[in-house]
Amino acid sequence: MTRFFLSILFLGLSLFLYGNQQSTEERFRVYGYVIDPSNRGIELANVYFENTQTGTTTNANGYYELTATKRDSIVIVYSMLGYETIRHTIIPNKQVIQISVVMQPTSQEMKDLEVVAQRRQTSSMSFIDPSKYRQMPNTAGNFESLLITFTGVTSNNELSSQYNVRGGSFDENLVYVNGIEIYRPLLIRSGQQEGLSFINQDMVEKVGFSSGAFNAEFGDKMSSVLDITYKKPTKTETSASVSLLGATAYLGTSSNRFTQLHGVRYKTSSYLLGSLETEGEYNPSFIDYQGYFTYKLNEKSELTLLTNFSQNLFNFRPESRSTNFGTYFMGRNFTVYFEGQEQDVFRTGFGALSYHYRPQQNLRLSLLASGFGTNESENYDILGEYILSEVKMDLQESNRKGATLGIGKYHEHARNQLNATVLDLTHSGEFNGLNHTLKWGASLKREIIVDRINEWEWRDSAGYSLPYNNREVNLYYTLKSDNTLDTWRTTAYVQDTRKWRTNGGSYTLTGGVRSHYWTFNNEWLVSPRASVSFVPYWKKDFSFRFSTGLYYQAPFYKEIRDTLNDALGNVRIRLNENIQSQRSVQFVLGGDHYFRAFGRPFKFTTEAYLKLADRVSIYDIENVQITYSGENNAKAYTAGIDFKLFGELVPGTDSWINFSLMNSKEDIIGDSYVKNTYDDKRNIISSEVVSPGWVSRPNEQRYAFSMMFQDYLPNNPDYKVQLKFVYSDGLPFGPPRNNLHRAAFRSPAYKRVDLGGSRVLVRGNNKMLNKNWLKGVESIWLNLEVLNLMDFQNVNSYYWVTDIYGQQLAVPNYLTSRQFNVRLIVDFK
């Protein structure tokens, strides 16, 4: 690993020094904004130097940027259909020149048309361009690492690609790639076991995200939708990257009828996991291939194929662990010495063949057949011997060790195997009328799951097995499953979007209904959904929207697993055929204010939401493993408000700041208990029935602040900086398998700062690219990243132990500490 790091660093520094030598040529940079008289950015305006081949087009905010060799004077031209052309003569006596212009419409009619054509968010779905964030520091290597800086989205584990949205669980998030729903492995219980998520960022063209109250075209889950569209290349494009955490390679080609994308990713987190408190031999590896192919049969029809294969191996031999926790006056140390190992294998395969047909320009019909398969194996036998002791606050380290509070052993064993297959046949269509868009779809799925679970834990404290019985030895925890599930699921939806204008503004109304039937529990669901948006013709630029609907969390395999306890305390999983889908009524009211400050575009967004749920299945979270109760035994609500400031804090780069407040509670049905009062002789003198009432949900984070900031040197934009900052409330927790005190405590706040510095070594007209061995290269970037810059100790979960006084103590499991990463990105012509 050290030799690998030095090789990358040596190559980067060599290119860096040589690139600096080549950059001494006198060049200058011009940047600015092209706006209309209403102070709105004009997209796709042409900006170029007259009588040269140097030019560009403005982005959605009207921003442009050009570089050229210095000369006595040069004319820069701004042109756009429907606007008067502007010519500006500049004398490049500075290295950086800022010029912003206001383009006047050629007629009043064009001015009115431009006002209407401005892009505004008219539904709960927002869109981003992922290519702008390639240099973002990324611990897990997943695209989802960017999502946690979005409003309403949180994650308390940088090792995982899973995320929570407005109080929901990981399983409540929908993910689509090219309209195909994506599944994730079911047995994974920790971020250390995770590889990379399905989404290959190199292949992504467009990203849409909704944090709730989404349209009927999206499936039956209650929290969010991540809608990914892969590229359809128009020319040959190739890139590769290598870092201390893995490597990627990407190739795209295009011909008259045929396009293809290939993406390969490799990840190894040994370097990152070495910063955890549990020391040992970590040997994780993940490899993934994806291909996306399109073939144009004729002018009206096209075939597409999306394929994926991934393999995730996690091998681990723990050796020891030492954790200090507690307070200044009551410090504790938990030391464990391990024997044994863990060996996990997760293999998934996916394929989707689609046929798209356009009988006429405004009508699109599609037929899709897809298959998903996963083969998951989790095997471990780990024996631990621990010592729980006091920690004294003393300046000398030799005097800090205090009295022993407890000793014990535990043995964790698992032989778990799960195989799942999902086959899907889907039809969808879209008709675009003059002022409305009609969408519809129907699907038929077959789900086959074979689950073989055998895991147990034995604990010994002070020479006694827990739970203690003077006649026999009992296990602390057991779980067995031998289930096969073979079911059919069908869904259908219809949705219409209508647009119209009045003298006061423009309106967009979307209404739809979705149905769902599952043969396992013979449940038929009907889910109506609607949204309306209003863009007023005010002097100030505002837009407003409101979304509502009835949403269901249609259960998959994990939600239907109920548990049965026998007389010996053994726990066996059975599938609950009486389970119902969790149900919620959602309301989202939001608005955007577009404005310019310091000559730059900004957008301030506010969204308030309310989710009222019944038929809730309560769950517990351990790391990234979610264990459901297997029955509908609670009601819940979630309410909150999100604020977001998005804009170009630095010209030409997107940055944003989010702040969220949330209150999420649940009330377990039938959880009342009898509380007795005793006298000195332990006789009952009074009794009362106590109902715990509303308690915090497992993913309630009462506040969250996040920021994504990008910057560059004004005189040399080849140097860039990316900063990602997250500060969010800790999650509720309690003793394991104890509903009475399930949210009695709250973990510390999650705090993390990731900093990345980027330098483009060579690109464009750099003379170094004329060398034979670099003729096929378009650009080379060197990234240096500091992960967890402030070295915060974030808590992921807790391990419960009992001391000699009978007190249960929660020992924190900490996440990664400060780490450094170096990454080299090469784009080819």
Side-chain angles (χ1 to χ4, degrees):
M1 179 63 73
T2 302
R3 187 174 300 173
F4 178 68
F5 171 79
L6 292 175
S7 300
I8 296 177
L9 190 59
F10 175 76
L11 176 61
L13 289 176
S14 301
L15 292 171
F16 171 76
L17 294 174
Y18 190 89
N20 275 346
Q21 281 185 328
Q22 299 298 322
S23 62
T24 57
E25 184 180 25
E26 287 291 324
R27 298 178 66 83
F28 72 100
R29 171 173 166 260
V30 182
Y31 73 93
Y33 295 91
V34 179
I35 61 177
D36 64 12
S38 300
N39 215 22
R40 296 183 174 95
I42 299 177
E43 185 179 5
L44 300 178
N46 298 303
V47 184
Y48 59 93
F49 292 125
E50 198 169 46
N51 300 322
T52 72
Q53 294 183 344
T54 302
T56 188
T57 57
T58 57
N59 66 11
N61 295 320
Y63 178 81
Y64 74 94
E65 182 178 331
L66 290 172
T67 59
T69 305
K70 283 189 177 181
R71 62 189 75 177
D72 293 337
S73 66
I74 192 169
V75 177
I76 187 170
V77 181
Y78 305 86
S79 67
M80 177 71 178
L81 181 65
Y83 292 87
E84 296 179 359
T85 300
I86 298 175
R87 286 179 169 80
H88 190 83
T89 302
I90 57 177
I91 300 174
N93 53 6
K94 297 180 180 179
Q95 191 173 358
V96 180
I97 302 173
Q98 180 178 358
I99 302 176
S100 296
V101 298
V102 179
M103 299 187 72
Q104 299 294 333
T106 55
S107 66
Q108 183 65 35
E109 288 77 11
M110 286 300 300
K111 181 177 180 180
D112 291 340
L113 180 61
E114 170 64 21
V115 171
V116 176
Q118 287 294 313
R119 291 184 178 179
R120 294 296 178 260
Q121 185 174 340
T122 58
S123 70
S124 63
M125 186 74 71
S126 59
F127 297 90
I128 62 169
D129 181 2
S131 63
K132 296 181 178 180
Y133 314 105
R134 291 183 67 194
Q135 284 80 37
M136 180 191 72
N138 194 331
T139 304
N142 293 306
F143 170 80
E144 289 84 352
S145 296
L146 179 64
L147 283 183
I148 66 172
T149 63
F150 284 25
T151 49
V153 183
T154 57
S155 173
N156 283 29
N157 190 341
E158 65 272 6
L159 295 174
S160 173
S161 63
Q162 305 308 315
Y163 53 92
N164 311 310
V165 180
R166 291 177 175 172
S169 72
F170 312 142
D171 296 329
E172 296 177 19
N173 302 317
L174 282 163
V175 179
Y176 290 92
V177 173
N178 288 1
I180 307 161
E181 186 176 354
I182 302 302
Y183 298 88
R184 71 184 187 97
L186 299 173
L187 282 184
I188 285 180
R189 66 176 68 214
S190 70
Q192 293 93 312
Q193 295 173 318
E194 279 197 36
L196 294 167
S197 69
F198 183 92
I199 302 166
N200 187 328
Q201 189 167 350
D202 292 334
M203 302 172 66
V204 174
E205 178 182 51
K206 185 175 68 173
V207 176
F209 181 74
S210 171
S211 52
F214 37 84
N215 291 336
E217 62 185 298
F218 300 110
D220 295 292
K221 292 193 177 184
M222 297 195 302
S223 283
S224 73
V225 172
L226 179 61
D227 190 19
I228 303 292
T229 303
Y230 274 3
K231 299 175 184 176
K232 186 177 180 181
T234 57
K235 60 177 183 178
T236 299
E237 48 187 69
T238 310
S239 68
S241 69
V242 61
S243 76
L244 297 179
L245 302 178
T248 66
Y250 157 76
L251 170 66
T253 67
S254 175
S255 62
N256 291 333
R257 291 190 171 189
F258 181 68
T259 69
Q260 57 180 325
L261 291 179
H262 301 273
V264 177
R265 297 178 294 171
Y266 172 74
K267 175 185 175 182
T268 175
S269 51
S270 301
Y271 168 68
L272 195 64
L273 298 179
S275 67
L276 297 176
E277 286 190 324
T278 300
E279 298 179 355
E281 181 182 339
Y282 291 93
N283 186 23
S285 65
F286 174 90
I287 190 166
D288 161 271
Y289 165 78
Q290 290 189 36
Y292 178 53
F293 310 88
T294 71
Y295 183 75
K296 189 175 182 180
L297 299 173
N298 51 52
E299 292 299 321
K300 293 186 177 182
S301 58
E302 181 183 56
L303 283 174
T304 66
L305 175 65
L306 177 63
T307 62
N308 166 255
F309 173 78
S310 66
Q311 177 175 275
N312 181 16
L313 305 178
F314 181 75
N315 298 316
F316 175 43
R317 289 179 177 271
E319 296 175 358
S320 64
R321 163 188 175 172
S322 180
T323 303
N324 291 321
F325 65 101
T327 64
Y328 182 86
F329 297 102
M330 198 176 72
R332 297 290 184 264
N333 174 267
F334 182 66
T335 300
V336 189
Y337 299 96
F338 296 101
E339 292 182 12
Q341 65 178 338
E342 178 176 356
Q343 294 182 332
D344 305 327
V345 179
F346 304 92
R347 292 189 181 94
T348 61
F350 175 81
L353 179 65
S354 304
Y355 173 70
H356 305 286
Y357 177 58
R358 283 186 177 272
Q360 56 193 49
Q361 189 63 31
N362 62 346
L363 178 62
R364 178 188 62 82
L365 302 174
S366 298
L367 184 64
L368 180 148
S370 67
F372 165 80
T374 179
N375 187 340
E376 306 173 26
S377 174
E378 184 182 40
N379 303 280
Y380 57 80
D381 269 295
I382 296 177
L383 178 66
E385 299 182 1
Y386 67 84
I387 302 173
L388 181 66
S389 58
E390 288 182 334
V391 176
K392 297 180 180 179
M393 296 300 115
D394 196 288
L395 296 177
Q396 295 186 6
E397 187 173 353
S398 58
N399 297 331
R400 293 179 186 173
K401 187 173 181 179
T404 298
L405 299 177
I407 58 173
K409 299 179 182 180
Y410 64 87
H411 184 181
E412 296 177 341
H413 167 95
R415 295 293 184 270
N416 299 332
Q417 183 77 30
L418 186 143
N419 298 312
T421 301
V422 179
L423 304 174
D424 183 12
L425 182 65
T426 298
H427 162 70
S428 63
E430 180 178 332
F431 174 78
N432 292 291
L434 183 61
N435 292 311
H436 79 103
T437 300
L438 179 66
K439 294 182 179 181
W440 66 90
S443 70
L444 177 65
K445 293 183 181 180
R446 186 182 182 188
E447 300 163 350
I448 305 171
I449 300 175
V450 179
D451 184 22
R452 304 290 184 264
I453 302 294
N454 181 15
E455 60 184 60
W456 50 260
E457 181 181 357
W458 169 77
R459 286 195 188 185
D460 176 280
S461 180
Y464 295 95
S465 295
L466 299 178
Y468 174 70
N469 187 314
N470 59 3
R471 296 187 303 272
E472 58 186 14
V473 176
N474 291 323
L475 293 174
Y476 182 76
Y477 161 75
T478 65
L479 184 66
K480 292 182 180 294
S481 174
D482 186 0
N483 292 302
T484 299
L485 181 71
D486 189 346
T487 60
W488 294 84
R489 192 188 301 262
T490 180
T491 63
Y493 73 89
V494 61
Q495 171 185 301
D496 193 19
T497 299
R498 293 188 174 271
K499 299 180 179 181
W500 70 94
R501 298 170 55 190
T502 67
N503 294 331
S506 62
Y507 294 84
T508 301
L509 175 63
T510 299
V513 62
R514 185 176 187 89
S515 66
H516 180 285
Y517 178 76
W518 194 25
T519 59
F520 175 75
N521 57 358
N522 293 318
E523 183 182 41
W524 183 51
L525 309 174
V526 178
S527 173
R529 308 173 188 179
S531 66
V532 61
S533 70
F534 173 54
V535 181
Y537 299 152
W538 297 347
K539 291 183 179 180
K540 299 289 186 179
D541 201 346
F542 286 89
S543 65
F544 305 95
R545 58 187 173 274
F546 174 74
S547 303
T548 186
L550 181 63
Y551 293 81
Y552 292 91
Q553 178 73 19
F556 196 52
Y557 184 68
K558 289 196 298 183
E559 291 95 322
I560 65 176
R561 301 200 312 176
D562 196 3
T563 55
L564 295 176
N565 297 311
D566 62 20
L568 299 176
N570 298 313
V571 180
R572 182 171 294 275
I573 293 175
R574 72 173 180 92
L575 303 184
N576 183 7
E577 296 183 355
N578 297 318
I579 193 81
Q580 292 180 295
S581 298
Q582 301 178 74
R583 179 174 58 186
S584 73
V585 180
Q586 300 185 15
F587 307 92
V588 178
L589 177 64
D592 302 315
H593 175 39
Y594 299 81
F595 63 97
R596 302 187 78 87
F598 314 108
R600 303 164 196 162
F602 290 90
K603 180 177 76 170
F604 182 72
T605 299
T606 302
E607 282 194 348
Y609 58 90
L610 174 64
K611 298 191 285 187
L612 305 174
D614 65 350
R615 308 197 315 205
V616 172
S617 296
I618 64 171
Y619 58 88
D620 296 308
I621 303 176
E622 177 69 20
N623 205 311
V624 298
Q625 183 185 42
I626 298 178
T627 303
Y628 291 89
S629 64
E631 55 184 350
N632 306 105
N633 57 348
K635 56 184 178 180
Y637 72 86
T638 302
I641 188 168
D642 297 329
F643 304 96
K644 179 175 184 176
L645 178 64
F646 178 94
E648 298 187 0
L649 298 175
V650 178
T653 62
D654 292 338
S655 301
W656 56 85
I657 300 173
N658 304 312
F659 180 68
S660 301
L661 296 171
M662 179 179 64
N663 183 23
S664 183
K665 297 291 190 293
E666 64 186 10
D667 185 8
I668 302 175
I669 299 171
D671 62 342
S672 59
Y673 62 96
V674 177
K675 180 180 178 181
N676 298 321
T677 304
Y678 300 88
D679 60 16
D680 295 339
K681 297 181 179 180
R682 300 297 298 169
N683 296 317
I684 299 175
I685 58 176
S686 65
S687 299
E688 63 175 327
V689 178
V690 178
S691 178
W694 296 95
V695 299
S696 296
R697 301 205 73 193
N699 285 310
E700 182 196 49
Q701 292 181 282
R702 298 165 298 183
Y703 60 86
F705 176 86
S706 61
M707 178 176 67
M708 176 65 187
F709 175 73
Q710 299 185 92
D711 197 2
Y712 56 83
L713 294 181
N715 294 330
N716 193 345
D718 289 345
Y719 293 89
K720 295 186 177 182
V721 174
Q722 304 85 27
L723 177 70
K724 186 172 68 174
F725 174 51
V726 176
Y727 189 105
S728 57
D729 190 20
L731 295 174
F733 73 97
R737 295 175 288 278
N738 188 328
N739 285 337
L740 185 60
H741 303 291
R742 58 184 284 104
F745 309 101
R746 189 174 290 270
S747 62
Y750 181 83
K751 308 176 289 294
R752 187 173 178 89
V753 180
D754 292 333
L755 178 67
S758 306
R759 166 68 158 94
V760 58
L761 304 179
V762 290
R763 69 173 171 183
N765 297 322
N766 194 294
K767 292 182 180 180
M768 187 176 181
L769 295 180
N770 294 328
K771 291 185 173 294
N772 290 330
W773 64 286
L774 286 176
K775 280 190 176 180
V777 173
E778 182 175 325
S779 66
I780 301 177
W781 285 86
L782 178 66
N783 284 24
L784 298 177
E785 302 171 353
V786 186
L787 307 173
N788 196 1
L789 175 67
M790 309 304 295
D791 201 22
F792 292 122
Q793 277 196 314
N794 291 310
V795 177
N796 179 33
S797 58
Y798 290 88
Y799 183 82
W800 290 82
V801 296
T802 305
D803 64 13
I804 58 176
Y805 305 109
Q807 295 178 329
Q808 280 191 305
L809 300 177
V811 182
N813 298 315
Y814 291 109
L815 287 163
T816 58
S817 58
R818 184 192 297 119
Q819 293 288 87
F820 298 89
N821 186 33
V822 59
R823 184 160 48 121
L824 194 67
I825 304 174
V826 182
D827 295 324
F828 298 91
K829 296 178 182 177

